[in-house]
mmCIF file of all heavy atoms in Angstrom:
data_model
loop_
_atom_site.group_PDB
_atom_site.id
_atom_site.type_symbol
_atom_site.label_atom_id
_atom_site.label_comp_id
_atom_site.label_asym_id
_atom_site.label_seq_id
_atom_site.Cartn_x
_atom_site.Cartn_y
_atom_site.Cartn_z
ATOM 1 N N ASP F 8 108.972 94.684 108.518
ATOM 2 C CA ASP F 8 108.034 94.596 109.641
ATOM 3 C C ASP F 8 108.232 93.378 110.543
ATOM 4 O O ASP F 8 107.295 92.717 110.939
ATOM 5 C CB ASP F 8 106.581 94.631 109.118
ATOM 6 C CG ASP F 8 106.292 95.900 108.348
ATOM 7 O OD1 ASP F 8 106.557 96.988 108.885
ATOM 8 O OD2 ASP F 8 105.798 95.802 107.202
ATOM 9 N N PHE F 19 97.773 91.925 116.394
ATOM 10 C CA PHE F 19 97.477 92.831 115.294
ATOM 11 C C PHE F 19 97.554 92.101 113.933
ATOM 12 O O PHE F 19 96.704 92.279 113.061
ATOM 13 C CB PHE F 19 98.426 94.015 115.298
ATOM 14 C CG PHE F 19 98.211 95.002 114.180
ATOM 15 C CD1 PHE F 19 97.162 95.877 114.216
ATOM 16 C CD2 PHE F 19 99.077 95.051 113.090
ATOM 17 C CE1 PHE F 19 96.937 96.788 113.174
ATOM 18 C CE2 PHE F 19 98.883 95.945 112.060
ATOM 19 C CZ PHE F 19 97.823 96.823 112.100
ATOM 20 N N GLY F 43 122.702 83.206 103.954
ATOM 21 C CA GLY F 43 124.106 82.833 104.226
ATOM 22 C C GLY F 43 124.901 84.035 104.693
ATOM 23 O O GLY F 43 124.444 85.192 104.601
ATOM 24 N N GLY F 78 112.127 102.483 108.647
ATOM 25 C CA GLY F 78 110.704 102.479 108.878
ATOM 26 C C GLY F 78 110.306 103.455 109.972
ATOM 27 O O GLY F 78 111.157 103.975 110.674
ATOM 28 N N HIS F 80 109.105 102.930 112.818
ATOM 29 C CA HIS F 80 109.412 102.500 114.182
ATOM 30 C C HIS F 80 110.913 102.333 114.443
ATOM 31 O O HIS F 80 111.289 101.793 115.485
ATOM 32 C CB HIS F 80 108.686 101.194 114.511
ATOM 33 C CG HIS F 80 107.195 101.337 114.614
ATOM 34 N ND1 HIS F 80 106.583 102.155 115.538
ATOM 35 C CD2 HIS F 80 106.214 100.776 113.887
ATOM 36 C CE1 HIS F 80 105.273 102.078 115.389
ATOM 37 N NE2 HIS F 80 105.019 101.273 114.399
ATOM 38 N N ASP F 81 111.752 102.785 113.539
ATOM 39 C CA ASP F 81 113.191 102.623 113.673
ATOM 40 C C ASP F 81 113.880 103.889 114.174
ATOM 41 O O ASP F 81 115.088 103.876 114.482
ATOM 42 C CB ASP F 81 113.825 102.219 112.326
ATOM 43 C CG ASP F 81 113.300 100.920 111.791
ATOM 44 O OD1 ASP F 81 113.075 100.014 112.610
ATOM 45 O OD2 ASP F 81 113.084 100.819 110.576
ATOM 46 N N ASN F 107 121.420 91.227 86.326
ATOM 47 C CA ASN F 107 120.532 90.595 85.333
ATOM 48 C C ASN F 107 119.507 91.606 84.774
ATOM 49 O O ASN F 107 118.534 91.222 84.143
ATOM 50 C CB ASN F 107 119.809 89.419 85.950
ATOM 51 C CG ASN F 107 118.943 89.819 87.134
ATOM 52 O OD1 ASN F 107 118.809 90.998 87.461
ATOM 53 N ND2 ASN F 107 118.334 88.842 87.795
ATOM 54 N N VAL F 111 114.866 97.139 91.344
ATOM 55 C CA VAL F 111 113.903 97.238 92.445
ATOM 56 C C VAL F 111 113.985 98.616 93.075
ATOM 57 O O VAL F 111 115.053 99.212 93.146
ATOM 58 C CB VAL F 111 114.106 96.164 93.537
ATOM 59 C CG1 VAL F 111 113.809 94.764 93.026
ATOM 60 C CG2 VAL F 111 115.477 96.215 94.147
ATOM 61 N N TYR F 116 107.500 102.415 102.860
ATOM 62 C CA TYR F 116 106.129 102.794 102.523
ATOM 63 C C TYR F 116 105.802 102.447 101.079
ATOM 64 O O TYR F 116 106.647 102.580 100.169
ATOM 65 C CB TYR F 116 105.942 104.305 102.729
ATOM 66 C CG TYR F 116 106.373 104.733 104.103
ATOM 67 C CD1 TYR F 116 107.629 105.296 104.316
ATOM 68 C CD2 TYR F 116 105.543 104.527 105.200
ATOM 69 C CE1 TYR F 116 108.028 105.682 105.577
ATOM 70 C CE2 TYR F 116 105.929 104.911 106.474
ATOM 71 C CZ TYR F 116 107.197 105.491 106.661
ATOM 72 O OH TYR F 116 107.594 105.846 107.904
ATOM 73 N N ASN F 122 109.289 104.926 90.691
ATOM 74 C CA ASN F 122 110.186 105.156 89.554
ATOM 75 C C ASN F 122 110.421 103.866 88.784
ATOM 76 O O ASN F 122 110.625 102.813 89.373
ATOM 77 C CB ASN F 122 111.526 105.743 90.073
ATOM 78 C CG ASN F 122 112.320 106.380 88.990
ATOM 79 O OD1 ASN F 122 111.790 106.732 87.915
ATOM 80 N ND2 ASN F 122 113.606 106.543 89.221
ATOM 81 N N CYS F 129 110.488 96.381 89.976
ATOM 82 C CA CYS F 129 109.587 95.974 91.074
ATOM 83 C C CYS F 129 109.750 96.938 92.243
ATOM 84 O O CYS F 129 110.776 97.572 92.382
ATOM 85 C CB CYS F 129 109.956 94.564 91.566
ATOM 86 S SG CYS F 129 109.724 93.291 90.338
ATOM 87 N N HIS F 136 101.323 96.046 106.654
ATOM 88 C CA HIS F 136 100.960 94.738 107.230
ATOM 89 C C HIS F 136 99.926 94.069 106.348
ATOM 90 O O HIS F 136 100.038 94.020 105.138
ATOM 91 C CB HIS F 136 100.550 94.886 108.681
ATOM 92 C CG HIS F 136 101.652 95.365 109.575
ATOM 93 N ND1 HIS F 136 102.132 94.639 110.615
ATOM 94 C CD2 HIS F 136 102.402 96.494 109.537
ATOM 95 C CE1 HIS F 136 103.127 95.309 111.212
ATOM 96 N NE2 HIS F 136 103.292 96.429 110.580
ATOM 97 N N TRP F 141 96.890 97.683 102.938
ATOM 98 C CA TRP F 141 97.385 96.728 101.950
ATOM 99 C C TRP F 141 96.294 96.463 100.915
ATOM 100 O O TRP F 141 96.537 96.417 99.703
ATOM 101 C CB TRP F 141 97.884 95.426 102.573
ATOM 102 C CG TRP F 141 98.514 94.498 101.566
ATOM 103 C CD1 TRP F 141 99.231 94.844 100.446
ATOM 104 C CD2 TRP F 141 98.440 93.085 101.534
ATOM 105 N NE1 TRP F 141 99.617 93.722 99.766
ATOM 106 C CE2 TRP F 141 99.148 92.620 100.411
ATOM 107 C CE3 TRP F 141 97.825 92.147 102.370
ATOM 108 C CZ2 TRP F 141 99.272 91.278 100.089
ATOM 109 C CZ3 TRP F 141 97.989 90.783 102.047
ATOM 110 C CH2 TRP F 141 98.709 90.371 100.925
ATOM 111 N N ASN F 142 95.067 96.308 101.377
ATOM 112 C CA ASN F 142 93.955 96.127 100.461
ATOM 113 C C ASN F 142 93.839 97.295 99.505
ATOM 114 O O ASN F 142 93.557 97.123 98.309
ATOM 115 C CB ASN F 142 92.635 95.923 101.223
ATOM 116 C CG ASN F 142 92.589 94.622 101.984
ATOM 117 O OD1 ASN F 142 93.294 93.667 101.640
ATOM 118 N ND2 ASN F 142 91.822 94.581 103.041
ATOM 119 N N GLU F 145 96.549 96.933 96.923
ATOM 120 C CA GLU F 145 96.167 95.867 95.971
ATOM 121 C C GLU F 145 95.083 96.367 95.024
ATOM 122 O O GLU F 145 95.082 95.978 93.833
ATOM 123 C CB GLU F 145 95.724 94.618 96.721
ATOM 124 C CG GLU F 145 96.867 93.881 97.397
ATOM 125 C CD GLU F 145 97.891 93.356 96.406
ATOM 126 O OE1 GLU F 145 97.576 92.412 95.662
ATOM 127 O OE2 GLU F 145 99.004 93.898 96.363
ATOM 128 N N ALA F 153 94.336 96.197 85.324
ATOM 129 C CA ALA F 153 93.129 95.777 84.634
ATOM 130 C C ALA F 153 92.438 96.937 83.881
ATOM 131 O O ALA F 153 91.941 96.742 82.783
ATOM 132 C CB ALA F 153 92.153 95.178 85.648
ATOM 133 N N MET F 171 105.826 85.442 102.416
ATOM 134 C CA MET F 171 107.031 85.740 103.191
ATOM 135 C C MET F 171 107.221 84.714 104.319
ATOM 136 O O MET F 171 108.340 84.300 104.579
ATOM 137 C CB MET F 171 106.937 87.156 103.777
ATOM 138 C CG MET F 171 106.915 88.277 102.733
ATOM 139 S SD MET F 171 108.357 88.300 101.631
ATOM 140 C CE MET F 171 109.683 88.707 102.764
ATOM 141 N N PRO F 175 113.174 86.021 105.352
ATOM 142 C CA PRO F 175 113.658 86.842 104.249
ATOM 143 C C PRO F 175 113.545 86.045 102.932
ATOM 144 O O PRO F 175 113.810 84.847 102.926
ATOM 145 C CB PRO F 175 115.126 87.094 104.580
ATOM 146 C CG PRO F 175 115.217 86.862 106.063
ATOM 147 C CD PRO F 175 114.228 85.801 106.363
ATOM 148 N N ASN F 186 102.405 85.581 92.900
ATOM 149 C CA ASN F 186 101.660 85.052 91.732
ATOM 150 C C ASN F 186 100.901 83.788 92.065
ATOM 151 O O ASN F 186 99.778 83.572 91.601
ATOM 152 C CB ASN F 186 102.581 84.836 90.547
ATOM 153 C CG ASN F 186 103.098 86.142 89.979
ATOM 154 O OD1 ASN F 186 102.512 87.199 90.152
ATOM 155 N ND2 ASN F 186 104.229 86.078 89.273
ATOM 156 N N GLU F 189 97.803 84.839 93.886
ATOM 157 C CA GLU F 189 96.862 85.441 92.941
ATOM 158 C C GLU F 189 96.162 84.361 92.118
ATOM 159 O O GLU F 189 94.970 84.441 91.869
ATOM 160 C CB GLU F 189 97.597 86.452 92.020
ATOM 161 C CG GLU F 189 98.036 87.695 92.709
ATOM 162 C CD GLU F 189 96.872 88.495 93.236
ATOM 163 O OE1 GLU F 189 96.162 89.091 92.424
ATOM 164 O OE2 GLU F 189 96.676 88.518 94.463
ATOM 165 N N ARG F 190 96.906 83.334 91.665
ATOM 166 C CA ARG F 190 96.302 82.268 90.902
ATOM 167 C C ARG F 190 95.254 81.515 91.734
ATOM 168 O O ARG F 190 94.186 81.174 91.268
ATOM 169 C CB ARG F 190 97.369 81.291 90.389
ATOM 170 C CG ARG F 190 98.110 81.785 89.156
ATOM 171 C CD ARG F 190 98.934 80.692 88.503
ATOM 172 N NE ARG F 190 99.930 80.127 89.371
ATOM 173 C CZ ARG F 190 101.150 80.601 89.582
ATOM 174 N NH1 ARG F 190 101.538 81.694 88.974
ATOM 175 N NH2 ARG F 190 101.982 80.000 90.388
ATOM 176 N N LYS F 194 92.644 85.457 90.305
ATOM 177 C CA LYS F 194 92.804 86.814 89.724
ATOM 178 C C LYS F 194 93.662 86.763 88.487
ATOM 179 O O LYS F 194 94.455 85.920 88.277
ATOM 180 C CB LYS F 194 93.423 87.734 90.769
ATOM 181 C CG LYS F 194 92.517 87.944 91.969
ATOM 182 C CD LYS F 194 93.129 88.834 93.001
ATOM 183 C CE LYS F 194 92.230 88.976 94.219
ATOM 184 N NZ LYS F 194 92.858 89.728 95.284
#
Side-chain angles (χ1 to χ4, degrees):
D8 300 309
F19 179 76
H80 292 299
D81 300 321
N107 61 4
V111 294
Y116 307 99
N122 196 20
C129 296
H136 295 241
W141 184 35
N142 293 334
E145 288 297 290
M171 295 302 294
N186 290 339
E189 289 297 288
R190 281 192 301 275
K194 295 179 183 175

